[in-house]
Amino acid sequence: MSTLRLDDLKQYSDALRTRHGAPLTLRFVEPRDTEELQHYVRSLSTRSRYNRFFGAISELPKGLLHDFLQIGERERFSVVATMTVDGFETIVGEARYAFNAETSTVEFGLSVDDRWQGHGIGSALMKNLECRAAAFGAEHLYGDTLRSNETMISLARKSGFDFINHPDDWKLVRFDKQIATAPKDIPCASWRLAALSRQAASPSAAA
């Protein structure tokens, strides 16, 4: 189990930067994000929604929306990447990830608003997810994508992931990266602290 303090999610917000230096905030989804999150999904292109959810949807179905909002349930987490656009906090990307203690892995999926692709937001998300995986003590970070999703495949390749055949579905490809970062070396401050707290609570679980 994780040792995250889920009663204070804001402490795990991370200040990132786009490729051009614009400020980007990555934080856990909150109930107040419900409408904005649906607006974000609706605004994605048909292809981007299909690539992200492996199906033709126009918005998050009720059950999936509920899952997005349940932070920490079964070690599953949802985050949104936001920027200030025209004076308003705007979701420009999102990610879901899940920690499996039995296999010491973190599985994830993400998307970036079509209008903001090419700004380095996907790369920033990937690097931050590595910090989150390391904080759990995970040994591998991986995701699945459609073989036709050239954008995600290119992003994963640039981020140093290896590619393997998907074990269950020939239409998908799996990308995997080994995580071998010691808690004290995690570059994301909030996740370095989380990892050190976890290490102190259970020294045998140290990464």
Side-chain angles (χ1 to χ4, degrees), residues 83-91:
M83 297 178 65
T84 300
V85 180
D86 296 329
F88 296 94
E89 183 188 32
T90 303
I91 296 175

Side-chain angles (χ1 to χ4, degrees), residues 41-194:
V41 173
R42 295 183 191 118
S43 69
L44 292 174
S45 67
T46 300
R47 177 180 290 276
S48 290
R49 283 197 301 269
Y50 191 88
N51 284 339
R52 174 64 176 93
F53 300 105
F54 302 161
I57 66 171
S58 58
E59 65 178 19
L60 292 175
K62 186 176 181 180
L64 184 55
L65 177 61
H66 175 269
D67 290 344
F68 259 80
L69 296 172
Q70 302 308 302
I71 302 301
E73 184 176 296
R74 292 175 297 161
E75 300 286 32
R76 298 172 183 270
F77 305 86
S78 306
V79 294
V80 288
T82 68
M83 297 178 65
T84 300
V85 180
D86 296 329
F88 296 94
E89 183 188 32
T90 303
I91 296 175
V92 296
E94 56 77 30
R96 285 264 290 163
Y97 62 98
F99 174 57
N100 186 324
E102 292 184 0
T103 60
S104 294
T105 60
V106 168
E107 179 182 8
F108 76 96
L110 63 81
S111 68
V112 175
D113 190 314
D114 293 76
R115 294 166 294 182
W116 289 95
Q117 291 181 14
H119 289 253
I121 294 173
S123 296
L125 281 173
M126 294 280 259
K127 290 179 181 177
N128 188 266
L129 287 169
E130 288 186 36
C131 291
R132 292 167 184 258
F136 277 120
E139 297 176 2
H140 285 267
L141 174 66
Y142 76 93
D144 299 327
T145 193
L146 295 165
R147 291 184 179 275
S148 58
N149 189 352
E150 296 178 358
T151 300
M152 189 67 218
I153 290 173
S154 176
L155 174 60
R157 182 174 289 114
K158 291 177 181 177
S159 298
F161 284 74
D162 296 319
F163 290 82
I164 58 176
N165 290 326
H166 193 278
D168 303 313
D169 193 333
W170 66 269
K171 297 188 298 296
L172 302 177
V173 62
R174 176 163 292 179
F175 43 93
D176 177 279
K177 188 171 186 178
Q178 184 174 2
I179 304 298
T181 306
K184 64 181 179 60
D185 296 326
I186 295 175
C188 310
S190 61
W191 295 100
R192 182 168 59 251
L193 291 173

